[in-house]
Amino acid sequence: MQRLLGNEYGAFVQALQLPPPVSVRLNPGKTAAFPALPRVPWASKGYYLPERPAFTLDPLLHAGSYYVQEASSMFLEQALKQAVDVQQPLHVLDLCGAPGGKSTHLASLLSEESLLVSNEVIRSRASILAENVAKWGSGNVLVTSNDPRDFCRLHHFFDVMVVDAPCSGEGMFRKDPQAVVEWSEENVKLCAQRQQRILTDVWEALKPGGLLIYSTCTWNEQENEANMDWLAAQENAQSVHLRLQPEWGVEPSRQQGVEGYRFYPHRVQGEGFFMAVIRKAGEARVADHSKSKKKKYKLTLAGKKEQALVQDWLQQPERYIWLQHGEVISALPANLFEAADEVYQNLYVLYAGTEVAEVKGRKLKPLQGLALSQHLNKKAFATAELDLEQAVRYLRKEDISLGSSGNDWLLLQYRDVPLGWAKQVGTRMNNYYPKEWRIRMDLPQELPVFDLLQP
Ligand SMILES: C[S@@+](CC[C@H](N)C(=O)[O-])C[C@H]1O[C@@H](n2cnc3c(N)ncnc32)[C@H](O)[C@@H]1O
């Protein structure tokens, strides 16, 4: 580091002793709030908080109104906005997706006609990714759990690929003491080799003219510039230049042909991070979304009766195609059918679009994905507003009582933002919050009040 930083090394070491900044990114599909907080300069919805609150006790976090994300990582927004026309319908891959920071960010930046495939190879982590994607509620994401090598089956499929690679984590040293314990020169070498393998494996799935956005949370050159130069030389790919504002403090870097962007804690309010963007050789082509007549599809449509029942549960139902997988009915933007089917043919899909309902005999049970969808038609359901304590107890999957009676599904909300479903049975209320998602921490005597989304 001393070699890389020269006379800035002292300031760098000092910054490592300071507490890491806390930042969040708001979900524009769920809140129009403009909090009176300092902004993350390179991300339109990123804000710094003065200290780290007990986020777990804020119902709006569980509702997907915001995501707690380290600020440097939000630079992805600049790569995407500067290097791609995000108004176009795109096929985008987030290869190393869990827990979902970059995927939820991508979901907010892409158009509704775009398909985001959000992948995580480790199955247990893929479930957390699916949970965060469902909470974000954009409805145009397929969550998959595959090894990078499986993506070669999707030949020239993606316009953009984000590879936020597993790395030696030097940039996380002040946030995660375990990263310090695990660091060794040998591990850096192994990480660099694994990254090369991952990049080689997925390259085939990128369209000619497509973009690769590569990032790590480490500083050594082997895992960063050297890897990008190696790939660009091997594949004849071009470096993509991003414009930086001097006040951001982001440092451009270059070993050979590819320009990278470095984030140091003494220069930016964020953790250590590296990003580079390269373009695959060849002509860019717009994705063909037309439906082929001869093809045998893997996706099955929901029956007419079921479709009729769920139709008005989403706004603008004509935008969707209604799928049925086992007992689950999901909605997918209709223009994505062909592309989604191709993904289903080749990969293991864990979550698709918006999970709307489960077929229970002749009845339908609304699902959590619907409650948290940005496109939910609230008018189709009875709603009830919870106070903070009721909301937290609901999210702990405790029994709560609102003193009402009835016999129907209730959409429970906190500050007008949906949290999930309950079913009234007479005066009793059954809590349908997903068991795996429940808050497990013990409650303090007094709950903190969050004003994060207040102006
Ligand atoms: C830096 S993290 C991704 C963070 C995520 N992009 C976000 O913004 O929330 C790297 C991810 O790569 C996954 N991973 C580990 N080994 C991998 C491999 N061989 N191929 C692909 N992904 C791998 C890890 O499980 C981890 O979830």
Side-chain angles (χ1 to χ4, degrees):
M1 289 307 296
Q2 243 164 329
R3 179 182 57 78
L4 279 173
L5 291 170
N7 56 12
E8 287 184 25
Y9 182 69
F12 166 76
V13 172
Q14 262 183 352
L16 286 182
Q17 315 306 318
L18 299 172
V22 182
S23 47
V24 297
R25 188 172 36 74
L26 306 191
N27 184 343
K30 295 202 177 190
T31 174
F34 285 101
L37 289 167
R39 305 275 296 267
V40 176
W42 45 81
S44 53
K45 298 291 169 191
Y47 292 88
Y48 292 107
L49 304 189
E51 60 194 2
R52 191 173 191 88
F55 282 117
T56 309
L57 297 174
D58 184 5
L60 293 181
L61 174 72
H62 302 270
S65 291
Y66 65 94
Y67 190 94
V68 182
Q69 188 180 24
E70 190 285 298
S72 306
S73 312
M74 299 182 199
F75 189 69
L76 173 63
E77 180 164 333
Q78 291 302 321
L80 203 73
K81 283 185 174 168
Q82 292 191 32
V84 199
D85 177 3
V86 285
Q87 305 307 322
Q88 288 265 348
L90 300 168
H91 292 170
V92 178
L93 169 66
D94 183 10
L95 181 71
C96 309
K102 309 240 173 9
S103 282
T104 52
H105 200 175
L106 287 165
S108 294
L109 296 169
L110 298 169
S111 72
E112 288 181 358
E113 286 71 41
S114 291
L115 176 70
L116 172 61
V117 176
S118 185
N119 179 71
E120 168 58 45
V121 63
I122 299 173
R123 201 53 64 86
S124 56
R125 289 176 61 78
S127 307
I128 296 161
L129 175 61
E131 177 182 329
N132 284 327
V133 162
K135 285 180 176 168
W136 206 250
S138 65
N140 54 350
V141 185
L142 299 182
V143 179
T144 59
S145 184
N146 282 79
D147 190 279
R149 82 174 80 91
D150 299 339
F151 284 83
C152 68
R153 301 179 205 138
L154 289 170
H155 175 76
H156 292 182
F157 186 83
F158 294 103
D159 303 278
V160 178
M161 291 197 320
V162 176
V163 177
D164 187 28
C167 70
S168 58
E170 293 159 8
M172 288 291 140
F173 278 1
R174 75 172 164 183
K175 223 178 152 189
D176 176 12
Q178 192 58 26
V180 183
V181 179
E182 284 170 12
W183 190 92
S184 68
E185 272 182 33
E186 184 55 24
N187 191 38
V188 167
K189 207 167 130 199
L190 286 173
C191 284
Q193 285 167 354
R194 180 170 56 179
Q195 288 148 0
Q196 291 195 354
R197 211 168 46 237
I198 292 173
L199 291 165
T200 312
D201 284 344
V202 287
W203 189 254
E204 173 72 15
L206 185 62
K207 282 182 191 169
L211 274 197
L212 170 79
I213 302 174
Y214 176 76
S215 59
T216 70
C217 57
T218 208
W219 288 302
N220 71 76
E221 291 159 310
Q222 278 165 274
E223 296 179 64
N224 295 324
E225 290 87 350
N227 265 351
M228 282 296 95
D229 285 332
W230 165 84
L231 182 66
Q234 179 172 290
E235 302 293 342
N236 192 24
Q238 293 300 312
S239 176
V240 174
H241 168 73
L242 302 179
R243 291 179 308 280
L244 302 174
Q245 306 293 330
E247 64 275 18
W248 291 352
V250 179
E251 185 145 306
S253 69
R254 190 186 284 267
Q255 264 196 342
Q256 292 171 31
V258 179
E259 185 167 50
Y261 304 95
R262 291 185 153 252
F263 292 69
Y264 294 114
H266 64 290
R267 288 176 144 260
V268 303
Q269 269 215 73
E271 296 307 85
F273 189 64
F274 171 87
M275 183 171 276
V277 186
I278 59 174
R279 191 180 295 285
K280 192 169 184 170
E283 273 292 294
R285 279 178 290 132
V286 177
D288 175 14
H289 300 296
S290 62
K291 208 164 155 182
S292 125
K293 290 216 172 78
K294 284 176 242 130
K295 204 166 140 192
K296 203 160 177 254
Y297 291 104
K298 188 140 188 201
L299 292 173
T300 37
L301 300 187
K304 286 230 161 63
K305 233 172 34 197
E306 285 78 12
Q307 281 193 39
L309 288 171
V310 294
Q311 278 265 54
D312 71 336
W313 290 8
L314 287 178
Q315 298 163 37
Q316 296 181 285
E318 67 286 354
R319 276 192 57 220
Y320 298 94
I321 194 148
W322 306 85
L323 308 170
Q324 186 157 354
H325 202 76
E327 278 153 10
V328 173
I329 298 177
S330 318
L332 197 72
N335 70 303
L336 301 181
F337 178 83
E338 190 82 14
D341 192 76
E342 207 164 328
V343 174
Y344 265 89
Q345 305 265 3
N346 292 291
L347 301 176
Y348 175 71
V349 180
L350 218 76
Y351 190 90
T354 306
E355 288 194 351
V356 173
E358 192 177 325
V359 182
K360 292 261 181 201
R362 284 148 134 230
K363 295 198 171 155
L364 291 179
K365 172 183 148 194
L367 289 176
Q368 187 65 15
L370 174 70
L372 299 182
S373 165
Q374 295 173 22
H375 312 286
L376 166 71
N377 178 19
K378 280 198 207 177
K379 290 188 196 120
F381 299 95
T383 57
E385 183 69 18
L386 305 182
D387 63 25
L388 177 62
E389 179 161 352
Q390 288 167 330
V392 171
R393 293 203 178 281
Y394 170 71
L395 294 167
R396 283 169 59 80
K397 210 165 165 54
E398 291 178 16
D399 287 333
I400 54 167
S401 168
L402 298 179
S404 55
S405 69
N407 207 359
D408 212 350
W409 290 101
L410 254 189
L411 179 68
L412 300 182
Q413 306 196 104
Y414 175 72
R415 292 189 174 172
D416 216 28
V417 184
L419 296 176
W421 303 104
K423 191 162 188 197
Q424 291 258 163
V425 185
T427 52
R428 214 182 63 228
M429 179 126 65
N430 291 337
N431 185 336
Y432 277 82
Y433 195 69
K435 195 169 77 213
E436 315 73 44
W437 294 14
R438 73 188 186 282
I439 296 178
R440 290 177 173 87
M441 80 181 263
D442 292 331
L443 298 188
Q445 287 266 313
E446 205 170 314
L447 287 171
V449 178
F450 288 85
D451 284 326
L452 187 61
L453 300 187
Q454 302 304 309

